[in-house]
Amino acid sequence: MKFKKERKVLLIIVISAAMAVISMFMTDNSDKLFCSIERPEPGEETQVKRINVVGEDGESITSVDVEIAPRIMSQDEAAVCFEKAYEEIAGIMCGRNKNLEHVTSNLVLPETAQRGVVSLTWYSGNYELINYNGNVNNISFLENECQNVELKLIMEYEDYKSEYDFTVTVYSPEYGTGDRRKIQAQKDIEAAVSSSRMDGNINLPQYIADSKVYYEESEKPVSPLLFVLLGGAAILVVIIADKKKVKDNAIKRKKELLYDYSEVVSKLTLLLGAGMTTRMAWHKIAADYKDNIEHGKAVRRPVYDEICKTDYNIQAGISELKAYEQFGKRCDTREYMKLAALLQTNIRKGTKELRRLLEEETADAFEKRKNMAKIKGEEATTKLLMPMMMMLMIVMAIIMIPAVWSFQI
């Protein structure tokens, strides 16, 4: 028993020592030092890396977030990529067709190749027969009828371009027995109607596809004028409703922007007072909003959506001046344009009084918010006026009708 205990203790010591040695190697900073960064390959996503800048004495100077775009291929590499893209397209463009010499159904014409590296543009010599999406319109073809169509493909990558030509032979669709009889019936009847223009009676074909057929007349259709009128009325209603919806949404959005203005300015003032920079405070507001939305703690508000969009723009490389200017224009209210101007002025001139100006703006904003709350209360009272009048009329009717009946009796 004692021996087993000693073995366990020895095993623990060995494992602890091994982990200590591994930890020493893992914390060796000499392996982490580098002087170059490897770019992502073409077609891969842009990477964001944080690089620690270290001085000769081993002390950290700063940390830099760097966006690394994918590497751009050389001309020779682009040519090889175009060849691979051609092979990729040749393998899928036929779709359900056996080959391009006998096409009866739609083709597959992709917009990109090689994992999105190469952009593809298609041109058709006959857009009525084959459009740029690869859809084939051969429904009117007779059996075994065919027609050639020239397709041109332009591959593009950065400044490099290459052209390819394809010859496609389109045949009549491959129908089942039922579909073939329907098309044959339509063609035979149309031929009979068009060939007897001078006769009073039209003799319809008695046999279609070697089968005896009979005819019966459908019920008289509703007047097309009715559908025209109903369609015109529906279009008018849709247009009016759409315009009203757009207008109502714009008014609602503007009210929500104005109502949230005091809250946004207050948050900015608080975060700046806590020692944050304007950029950090803006990112903090956007991050908190996104976190609350993800966890269901808040509902979407227009101003915070615009703040998040501005934050994304800054992270994407747009300057803060331009991003705040676009923010003010998108909000399109005097208050937010003033806020954007204050932030821009602070960036340009380093205004030390930004916090005081924001505090004054916060006080004015809360005062306006109180006034908006009063207006909302008055609007609610006005909306209740009609139901209250209707209730009053009902009560008066309940009282007056029995009284009138009693006088008549």
Side-chain angles (χ1 to χ4, degrees), residues 201-251:
N201 294 324
I202 301 173
N203 296 320
L204 299 176
Q206 298 181 3
Y207 291 88
I208 292 177
D210 299 329
S211 299
K212 181 76 174 179
V213 294
Y214 301 92
Y215 302 94
E216 58 183 18
E217 190 174 357
S218 300
E219 296 181 0
K220 186 178 180 181
V222 181
S223 173
L225 182 60
L226 178 61
F227 292 106
V228 173
L229 294 175
L230 291 175
I235 291 172
L236 186 62
V237 170
V238 169
I239 292 173
I240 294 174
D242 187 59
K243 287 184 177 180
K244 187 177 184 302
K245 184 178 179 181
V246 171
K247 185 177 179 181
D248 291 345
N249 289 340
I251 293 173

Side-chain angles (χ1 to χ4, degrees), residues 68-81:
I68 306 174
R71 182 178 65 84
I72 296 178
M73 292 186 290
S74 65
Q75 185 175 0
D76 294 338
E77 289 177 315
V80 173
C81 186

Side-chain angles (χ1 to χ4, degrees), residues 91-355:
I92 64 172
M93 71 176 296
C94 291
R96 291 182 294 177
N97 303 289
K98 293 181 180 179
N99 51 54
L100 297 181
E101 286 75 28
H102 194 280
V103 172
T104 59
S105 60
N106 294 339
L107 300 173
V108 178
L109 305 182
E111 296 180 355
T112 60
Q114 292 295 293
R115 306 184 311 278
V117 175
V118 180
S119 299
L120 308 177
T121 305
W122 296 88
Y123 296 94
S124 173
N126 187 345
Y127 279 99
E128 294 182 357
L129 189 54
I130 301 179
N131 64 11
Y132 64 92
N133 288 326
N135 296 329
V136 178
N137 183 20
N138 57 346
I139 192 169
S140 62
F141 277 33
L142 298 175
E143 189 172 359
N144 295 326
E145 181 183 353
C146 65
Q147 185 174 342
N148 291 334
V149 179
E150 298 295 330
L151 292 181
K152 176 174 284 188
L153 169 62
I154 297 179
M155 295 186 187
E156 292 180 289
Y157 169 75
E158 295 294 335
D159 296 331
Y160 306 115
K161 183 183 295 186
S162 183
E163 296 184 4
Y164 300 88
D165 293 322
F166 299 90
T167 300
V168 180
T169 305
V170 180
Y171 283 82
S172 60
E174 296 178 352
Y175 297 113
T177 305
D179 294 332
R180 191 181 300 277
R181 291 187 67 189
K182 290 178 183 178
I183 294 173
Q184 189 64 44
Q186 183 175 356
K187 289 183 178 180
D188 291 349
I189 292 172
E190 288 177 353
V193 171
S194 61
S195 64
S196 57
R197 294 289 301 275
M198 300 188 67
D199 297 335
N201 294 324
I202 301 173
N203 296 320
L204 299 176
Q206 298 181 3
Y207 291 88
I208 292 177
D210 299 329
S211 299
K212 181 76 174 179
V213 294
Y214 301 92
Y215 302 94
E216 58 183 18
E217 190 174 357
S218 300
E219 296 181 0
K220 186 178 180 181
V222 181
S223 173
L225 182 60
L226 178 61
F227 292 106
V228 173
L229 294 175
L230 291 175
I235 291 172
L236 186 62
V237 170
V238 169
I239 292 173
I240 294 174
D242 187 59
K243 287 184 177 180
K244 187 177 184 302
K245 184 178 179 181
V246 171
K247 185 177 179 181
D248 291 345
N249 289 340
I251 293 173
K252 180 182 177 183
R253 181 176 183 274
K254 189 170 184 178
K255 287 183 177 179
E256 290 180 353
L257 287 169
L258 293 175
Y259 192 77
D260 292 337
Y261 179 69
S262 58
E263 184 177 316
V264 172
V265 178
S266 177
K267 286 183 178 180
L268 276 174
T269 306
L270 182 64
L271 294 174
L272 291 175
M276 287 188 176
T277 62
T278 305
R279 174 72 189 99
M280 293 170 62
W282 195 274
H283 178 71
K284 172 67 175 173
I285 294 173
D288 290 346
Y289 172 69
K290 287 184 288 185
D291 184 67
N292 290 335
I293 290 293
E294 289 176 359
H295 293 85
K297 298 179 181 179
V299 296
R300 290 200 168 275
R301 303 292 291 179
V303 63
Y304 289 104
D305 288 336
E306 296 297 342
I307 289 174
C308 290
K309 186 174 182 179
T310 303
D311 186 53
Y312 292 145
N313 290 340
I314 295 174
Q315 292 180 19
I318 296 177
S319 66
E320 287 190 57
L321 285 172
K322 188 68 175 176
Y324 293 143
E325 180 184 355
Q326 292 175 352
F327 168 76
K329 289 181 179 179
R330 289 197 304 269
C331 292
D332 194 23
T333 62
R334 184 178 61 83
E335 289 77 8
Y336 285 101
M337 294 183 76
K338 182 179 178 181
L339 175 61
L342 288 175
L343 297 177
Q344 288 176 292
T345 304
N346 179 61
I347 294 172
R348 288 195 185 99
K349 301 181 179 180
T351 307
K352 297 181 180 180
E353 298 182 352
L354 177 63
R355 183 182 173 188

